[in-house]
C-alpha cells in the first residue's frame, strides 16, 4: 500500500505580513497531482490542518476544496486534528464525510478504532490519535497525572489491544501529533510543554508498522518507522534551511516500508543575512538573496537611519529587520529579549522569583510554578475551542 504522508498545513496562516493562501492552494493542487500521478492508495494528514481553532472563511473554503478534490480522485484520506485545530469543529460531519472516503479522526475516545483499508495483501489498520492535551484527556485515559507520555502511552495501549484482536498479518499505521524525542523544532511551532516536558520517547509507538507524525515543521526521520513529514510551507525564518516535502511510503505485505521524499512547491526562498547595514548593502555574495524573503539582522553599534527602506532597495522582499548590535554579553545595554533568548516560561518565572526575592525557588515552589503554567495553558486551549 502506498501512503502519502503530510501534516501541518496551517491553512489561514500568514508568513510575517505575507498572505500565504495562494501558496497553500498551490500546495493542495500539488498534493492532489502527486496522489494521482504516483498512484497513491491513501493520503494521511497528521494534524494542524488549520492554524487556529476558528479559522478564517477563506481557509475553510480551501479545506473544503481539498476534500472535494481528494474525494473525486477516489483516494481515501485519513486526517487527525492537531494542537492548532479545534477537534470538535474539524470533526463536524465526520460520519457523512467518511462516506466519501475522507476519514476525520478528532475524538480521543476513538483512538483504538481504526479505519480499515484493504489492498492485495489484506487490511491495513489506520489509527488516528488527534492531539491529546494531557489536562483535558487524562480522565478519558485513566492516568493519574497529566503528561504527554502518559496519555500517549494509554492511547497506544488501546491501539495495540485492538490490533492484537485482528487477523494475523494485519498491518498498522498510526497518525499522531506530538513532539517525539530526537525531533528538531523551529520557532513556528506552538509550545506544548506540560510539567516541564514537551517530548515523548519513540518507544511509546512500539508495535505498529509506521507512525506518521505531525507537529514539528521540519521533515525528519526519528526511526525507520517513525517520521515527521514537516509543514509543506515555511512559517518562520527558523525554517530557512528546511527542504519542504511529503513522505511517499510504500508499506509491503510484511509491514516493512520504504520512504521517498516528494518536494513541495517553493513560493519564494528564505534567507537570513547578518552584518552592518553597509555590509549588507554592498556585499556581492548576497546577490543570490535579492529575490528571496529576507530576515536581516543589522549589527551596527548605533541604529542606522531608515534601515528597512534602504534594505528594501536591494532586497525588495525583506520581511523582518532585527537590530542586534555586537556587544559583550555582560554589557548592561544587552536587550531583555536577548537575555531571554532560548529560555522557556518555567525558566523565566523561576528567574523572576530569584530576582525579586534574592533566592531561587525550591523544589516545591518550582512544582507550583509548573502546575500554574500547565493550568494556564490548558485553560487557554479550552477557551479557544469554546469561542
Amino acid at each position: 500500500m502506498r501512503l502519502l504522508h503530510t501534516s501541518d498545513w496551517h491553512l489561514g496562516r500568514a508568513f510575517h505580513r505575507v498572505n500565504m493562501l495562494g501558496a497553500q492552494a498551490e500546495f493542495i493542487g500539488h498534493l492532489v497531482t502527486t496522489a494521482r500521478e504516483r498512484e497513491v492508495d491513501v493520503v494521511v494528514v497528521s494534524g494542524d490542518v488549520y492554524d487556529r481553532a476558528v479559522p478564517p472563511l477563506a481557509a475553510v473554503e480551501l479545506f473544503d476544496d481539498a476534500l472535494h478534490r481528494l474525494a473525486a480522485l477516489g483516494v481515501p484520506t485519513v486526517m487527525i486534528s492537531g494542537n492548532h485545530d479545534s477537534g470538535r469543529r474539524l470533526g463536524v460531519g465526520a460520519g457523512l464525510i467518511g462516506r466519501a472516503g475522507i476519514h476525520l479522526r478528532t475524538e480521543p475516545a476513538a483512538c483504538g478504532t481504526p479505519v480499515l483499508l484493504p489492498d492485495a495483501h489484506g487490511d491495513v489498520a489506520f489509527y488516528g490519535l488527534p492531539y491529546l492535551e494531557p489536562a483535558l484527556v487524562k480522565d478519558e485515559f485513566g492516568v493519574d497525572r497529566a503528561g504527554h507520555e502518559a496519555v500517549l502511552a494509554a492511547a497506544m495501549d488501546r491501539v495495540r489491544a485492538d490490533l492484537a484482536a485482528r487477523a494475523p498479518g494485519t498491518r498498522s499505521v498510526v497518525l499522531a501529533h506530538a513532539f517525539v524525542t530526537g525531533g528538531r523544532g523551529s520557532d513556528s511551532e506552538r509550545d506544548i510543554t506540560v510539567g516541564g516536558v514537551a517530548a515523548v520517547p519513540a518507544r511509546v509507538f512500539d508495535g505498529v508498522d509506521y507512525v506518521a507524525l505531525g507537529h514539528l515543521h521540519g521533515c525528519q526521520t526519528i526511526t525507520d518507522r517513525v517520521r515527521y513529514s514537516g509543514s509543506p510551507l515555511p512559517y518562520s525564518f527558523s525554517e530557512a534551511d528546511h527542504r519542504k516535502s511529503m513522505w511517499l511510503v510504500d508499506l509491503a505485505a510484511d509491514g516493512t516500508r520504504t520512504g521517498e521524499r516528494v518536494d513541495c512547491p517553493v513560493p519564494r526562498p528564505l534567507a537570513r543575512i547578518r552584518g552592518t547595514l553597509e555590509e549588507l548593502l554592498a556585499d556581492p555574495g548576497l546577490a543570490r538573496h535579492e529575490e528571496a524573503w529576507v530576515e536581516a539582522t543589522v549589527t551596527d553599534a548605533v541604529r542606522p537611519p531608515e534601515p528597512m527602506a534602504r534594505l528594501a532597495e536591494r532586497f525588495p522582499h525583506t520581511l523582518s529587520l532585527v537590530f542586534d548590535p555586537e556587544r559583550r554579553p555582560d554589557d548592561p545595554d544587552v536587550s531583555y529579549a536577548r537575555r531571554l533568548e532560548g529560555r522557556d516560561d518555567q525558566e523565566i518565572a523561576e528567574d523572576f522569583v530569584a530576582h525579586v526575592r534574592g533566592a531561587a525557588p525550591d523544589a516545591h515552589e518550582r512544582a507550583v510554578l509548573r502546575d500554574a503554567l500547565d493550568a494556564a495553558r490548558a485553560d487557554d486551549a479550552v477557551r479557544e475551542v469554546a469561542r
Side-chain angles (χ1 to χ4, degrees):
M1 182 171 286
R2 174 164 286 183
L3 323 176
L4 186 60
H5 167 200
T6 178
S7 72
D8 295 272
W9 295 357
H10 289 280
L11 300 182
R13 186 167 183 165
F15 181 72
H16 290 261
R17 61 180 179 271
V18 176
N19 186 321
M20 295 290 278
L21 203 65
Q24 290 168 342
E26 185 178 359
F27 161 70
I28 295 298
H30 172 68
L31 171 72
V32 172
T33 298
T34 301
R36 181 181 65 250
E37 293 182 349
R38 300 301 298 270
E39 298 181 337
V40 168
D41 297 304
V42 56
V43 173
V44 296
V45 186
S46 298
D48 282 354
V49 175
Y50 293 121
D51 189 55
R52 57 180 189 260
V54 185
L57 179 59
V60 177
E61 291 173 339
L62 180 55
F63 178 60
D64 181 63
D65 178 63
L67 297 187
H68 277 84
R69 294 172 72 178
L70 288 167
L73 274 184
V75 177
T77 299
V78 184
M79 184 178 298
I80 62 172
S81 49
N83 61 302
H84 280 249
D85 300 308
S86 164
R88 293 178 65 183
R89 285 190 173 89
L90 187 64
V92 169
L96 288 172
I97 296 171
R99 296 180 186 179
I102 309 293
H103 306 281
L104 301 174
R105 291 294 182 264
T106 63
E107 290 294 332
C111 285
T113 304
V115 177
L116 295 175
L117 298 174
D119 68 3
H121 306 290
D123 284 340
V124 179
F126 289 82
Y127 297 91
L129 279 57
Y131 173 67
L132 303 174
E133 176 61 48
L136 303 183
V137 302
K138 65 184 182 68
D139 292 339
E140 165 65 33
F141 291 104
V143 298
D144 295 332
R145 182 174 177 83
H148 288 294
E149 183 173 355
V151 297
L152 273 170
M156 282 301 301
D157 284 344
R158 295 187 185 184
V159 167
R160 286 184 283 264
D162 180 86
L163 190 58
R166 299 194 175 274
T170 299
R171 291 156 292 162
S172 54
V173 175
V174 164
L175 289 72
H177 198 86
F179 194 145
V180 175
T181 302
R184 300 180 303 280
S186 65
D187 293 344
S188 49
E189 298 127 6
R190 184 180 294 170
D191 181 32
I192 58 171
T193 300
V194 173
V197 178
V200 299
R203 67 174 181 272
V204 165
F205 299 104
D206 285 352
V208 296
D209 295 309
Y210 183 70
V211 182
L213 292 174
H215 180 58
L216 299 184
H217 287 188
C219 181
Q220 49 200 293
T221 299
I222 305 300
T223 72
D224 180 56
R225 62 182 187 85
V226 181
R227 296 175 180 170
Y228 285 97
S229 67
S231 62
L233 293 165
Y235 292 110
S236 73
F237 278 101
S238 65
E239 301 172 53
D241 62 348
H242 286 188
R243 173 187 163 196
K244 296 301 184 182
S245 58
M246 304 177 284
W247 280 112
L248 192 68
V249 177
D250 286 318
L251 192 63
D254 62 357
T256 57
R257 73 247 110 225
T258 57
E260 173 190 347
R261 290 179 69 175
V262 178
D263 290 334
C264 295
V266 178
R268 192 178 293 278
L270 306 186
R272 302 178 104 171
I273 59 177
R274 180 184 179 90
T276 67
L277 182 59
E278 293 305 322
E279 289 171 345
L280 298 181
L281 295 177
D283 185 353
L286 298 180
R288 67 188 187 277
H289 299 315
E290 289 176 356
E291 294 304 315
W293 280 324
V294 169
E295 178 185 74
T297 299
V298 175
T299 61
D300 298 72
V302 177
R303 187 185 296 266
E306 300 184 326
M308 192 63 155
R310 294 167 68 188
L311 280 166
E313 291 179 2
R314 183 180 187 190
F315 306 102
H317 305 287
T318 301
L319 299 181
S320 174
L321 175 61
V322 179
F323 184 59
D324 186 22
E326 297 287 359
R327 294 191 174 110
R328 300 187 315 275
D330 60 349
D331 190 313
D333 290 331
V334 171
S335 72
Y336 181 67
R338 179 86 173 268
R339 295 198 300 272
L340 295 184
E341 186 175 351
R343 302 184 69 75
D344 61 26
D345 290 344
Q346 179 79 19
E347 292 170 321
I348 293 169
E350 291 179 14
D351 287 349
F352 177 76
V353 172
H355 173 72
V356 298
R357 192 176 63 185
D362 60 25
H364 172 70
E365 291 167 330
R366 289 196 299 272
V368 170
L369 288 170
R370 186 163 52 246
D371 289 344
L373 290 168
D374 291 347
R377 204 192 70 262
D379 184 61
D380 284 346
V382 171
R383 289 173 181 273
E384 188 169 10
V385 171
R387 280 195 306 169

